[in-house]
Amino acid sequence: MKVCARRFNLFLLLAAALALSGGCKTEKQHEQDKQDKVTGALRVHIEVSADNAGDLSTSQTISVLRSDPVQVTIAKDPILTEANIIAARIIESPGGFAIEIQFDETGAWTLEQYSASYLGKHFVIFGQWGEKLVSGRWLAAPLITRRIGDGKLVFTPDASRDEAGQLVLGLNNVGKKNQKALAK
C-alpha cells in the first residue's frame, strides 16, 4: 500500500514539474510580450511655401499643437519614416522632455540634405503608437536652424510623457525589426 502511494506522489511531482517548466508564462513574460507588440509610426514632412499650396495633389495644410494650434503647409509625402529609424529615446530637456530619433545611413543623408536646403522652414512630425496604431497626431514642427549632420532629430512633442514613452517603445520595436530584416 505504501508503494502505491509513493508512485502516485512521484507521478504527481513529475506532472507538476512539467506544468511549471513547460507552457506556463510568468507575468513578466506576458508583460514583455505585450510590450513587444507595441508599434510606432513616424512621418517627417517638410514645410513648403504657401505659394505651392495651390497644388493640392502635393501639399496640404495641417494644424500642429493642440493647445495653441499653428497652421503649416507641408509636402504630402514624408521625407523620412519609421523605416529609416535605428533607435528612439526620451531625453530630459529644460522644462520637460524631448524625443531623440536616430536615423540609419539613408535617413541621416536625407535629414542632412533637407536641413541644409530648407533653413528657416519646419520639419513637421506625425506620430502613431500602440498595438494597432490607433492613437496618432501631429506632434511637433521644429524650426530648421542648422544643417543636421549626425542623423539625430530632436524635438519636443505635443504629447504626455506616457504617450511619448509608448511612441518611443513602438519605434524601437520597429527599428529592431528593420535591423533584423537588413541582417538577413
Side-chain angles (χ1 to χ4, degrees):
M1 190 101 170
K2 287 184 180 182
V3 174
C4 290
R6 285 188 185 150
R7 276 193 199 146
F8 177 74
N9 286 339
L10 181 61
F11 287 125
L12 185 61
L13 180 63
L14 286 173
L18 285 173
L20 289 175
S21 65
C24 294
K25 288 188 175 184
T26 65
E27 189 159 328
K28 193 173 188 179
Q29 288 170 324
H30 281 294
E31 184 63 32
Q32 185 61 45
D33 288 348
K34 195 174 183 180
Q35 292 210 352
D36 288 344
K37 289 181 182 177
V38 173
T39 188
L42 189 88
R43 303 288 188 269
V44 179
H45 296 262
I46 193 76
E47 178 185 13
V48 294
S49 64
D51 300 340
N52 295 346
D55 185 5
L56 296 176
S57 65
T58 60
S59 65
Q60 72 183 65
T61 301
I62 55 97
S63 180
V64 181
L65 304 176
R66 293 173 294 170
S67 61
D68 191 17
V70 176
Q71 300 290 313
V72 182
T73 303
I74 61 168
K76 278 188 178 180
D77 293 328
I79 59 169
L80 293 166
T81 70
E82 67 278 355
N84 304 106
I85 294 175
I86 294 174
R89 68 185 184 122
I90 295 178
I91 58 175
E92 296 303 318
S93 66
F97 65 94
I99 294 177
E100 179 185 83
I101 307 294
Q102 175 67 55
F103 291 98
D104 62 11
E105 188 175 22
T106 304
W109 288 340
T110 302
L111 185 64
E112 183 173 15
Q113 176 187 356
Y114 278 91
S115 63
S117 300
Y118 287 85
L119 288 173
K121 296 288 187 178
H122 293 88
F123 287 123
V124 183
I125 302 165
F126 181 82
Q128 288 179 289
W129 54 90
E131 283 188 40
K132 301 199 187 280
L133 295 181
V134 177
S135 301
R137 64 177 167 274
W138 295 101
L139 295 174
L143 181 66
I144 303 169
T145 59
R146 63 177 176 81
R147 179 184 66 82
I148 302 171
D150 62 358
K152 293 180 182 178
L153 179 62
V154 179
F155 63 94
T156 303
D158 180 19
S160 69
R161 189 176 285 267
D162 183 53
E163 290 172 328
Q166 288 292 306
L167 175 63
V168 165
L169 175 64
L171 293 175
N172 283 326
N173 287 342
V174 170
K176 287 176 192 171
K177 288 177 187 173
N178 291 342
Q179 294 303 313
K180 284 181 185 177
L182 286 175
K184 289 183 180 180

